Amino acid sequence: MLGRLASRGRSCTKLIAALGCLASRQKHTLPDLPYDYGALEPHINAEIMQLHHSKHHATYVNNLNVAEEKYKEALAKGDVTAQVSLQPALKFNGGGHINHTIFWTNLSPNAGGEPQGELMEAIKRDFGSFGNFKEKLTAVSVGVQGSGWGWLGFNQDQGRLQVTACYNQDPLQGTTGLIPLLGIDVWEHAYYLQYKNVRPDYLKAIWNVINWENVSARYTACKK
């Protein structure tokens, strides 16, 4: 009897501690861009960048905070139905926040070209050449039906690079297990004001502002 009481006491302590961590967490915030809105012109214009960052990404952040607050309340009440019903909002807005936070750092003015060092060697190993990789990621991104992302990810189990697509705002690692290295946003809000409905033109242009130093740093970090 005493053993059962002690076990229940430990379980209650763990639950209270978990709820305390959730209650005390800091709200998610919109990250600053590491460059001005107009810095990626002429490839991505300032109007797109401003709307994309200050409106679209900000909305994901705000909605994620709201969803997490509701989830905290449902958790405290033991309301499993509410917890389950909140999963789509957490996935969509959490994915939107994760994806865009990566995306901004994957881009840079005066960038483009080709990667160097270990990343380039890995690309040649897994795709045959940089040109083959570029064609494959472009094709995957063009082929996304509706809204989504094209990704270069690292498969830790197999120790190799992979190209894939995720729909809507599904986060790469959370849905495929691949560690995100380079993401290309192919939602229309990422390009429509400049490229209209011609997604291939946008994808051709975006290679001129890919920050290979950032992508290489992500690749190095995920191998440790």
Side-chain angles (χ1 to χ4, degrees):
M1 180 67 177
L2 289 175
R4 286 198 297 272
L5 288 174
S7 177
R8 289 175 183 172
R10 287 192 295 270
S11 298
C12 288
T13 300
K14 290 178 180 179
L15 177 59
I16 291 169
L19 290 173
C21 289
L22 187 58
S24 63
R25 70 161 186 82
Q26 296 292 316
K27 288 186 178 293
H28 301 285
T29 58
L30 181 68
D32 293 332
L33 285 186
Y35 39 78
D36 294 334
Y37 286 133
L40 304 183
E41 291 186 338
H43 310 293
I44 305 177
N45 69 35
E47 184 180 15
I48 287 176
M49 292 300 296
Q50 183 173 11
L51 289 171
H52 199 172
H53 177 257
S54 68
K55 300 298 183 183
H56 291 281
H57 190 174
T59 298
Y60 296 126
V61 171
N62 293 337
N63 289 342
L64 176 59
N65 285 324
V66 170
E68 286 193 342
E69 188 64 28
K70 291 180 178 178
Y71 190 85
K72 181 185 72 174
E73 294 171 1
L75 192 63
K77 294 176 182 177
D79 187 344
V80 177
T81 299
Q83 293 172 41
V84 171
S85 70
L86 286 164
Q87 294 303 312
L90 290 168
K91 182 180 181 181
F92 182 76
N93 293 293
H97 181 37
I98 291 169
N99 294 340
H100 284 88
T101 299
I102 295 169
F103 183 59
W104 307 134
T105 63
N106 278 168
L107 305 178
S108 178
N110 304 314
E114 299 183 358
Q116 304 295 322
E118 284 189 325
L119 178 59
M120 184 57 133
E121 293 305 312
I123 286 173
K124 290 178 179 178
R125 178 195 68 209
D126 296 331
F127 300 103
S129 68
F130 178 75
N132 288 343
F133 153 71
K134 186 175 176 180
E135 287 179 9
K136 187 169 185 179
L137 182 53
T138 298
V140 164
S141 302
V142 168
V144 172
Q145 295 182 341
S147 302
W149 292 73
W151 286 101
L152 171 67
F154 181 67
N155 186 321
Q156 281 190 311
D157 292 334
Q158 299 179 14
R160 67 184 185 91
L161 301 174
Q162 288 183 223
V163 163
T164 191
C166 289
Y167 289 95
N168 298 314
Q169 292 295 353
D170 291 358
L172 182 67
Q173 189 166 3
T175 53
T176 70
L178 299 175
I179 298 175
L181 304 180
L182 170 62
I184 299 179
D185 188 349
V186 291
W187 279 65
E188 283 195 341
H189 64 234
Y191 62 87
Y192 194 85
L193 289 176
Q194 185 171 358
Y195 295 98
K196 306 307 181 208
N197 63 335
V198 189
R199 184 185 289 176
D201 285 354
Y202 158 69
L203 290 167
K204 182 179 179 181
I206 202 169
W207 290 104
N208 293 300
V209 289
I210 297 297
N211 183 358
W212 289 114
E213 288 187 8
N214 178 265
V215 181
S216 294
R218 292 179 181 278
Y219 176 64
T220 300
C222 74
K223 291 176 60 186
K224 292 180 179 179

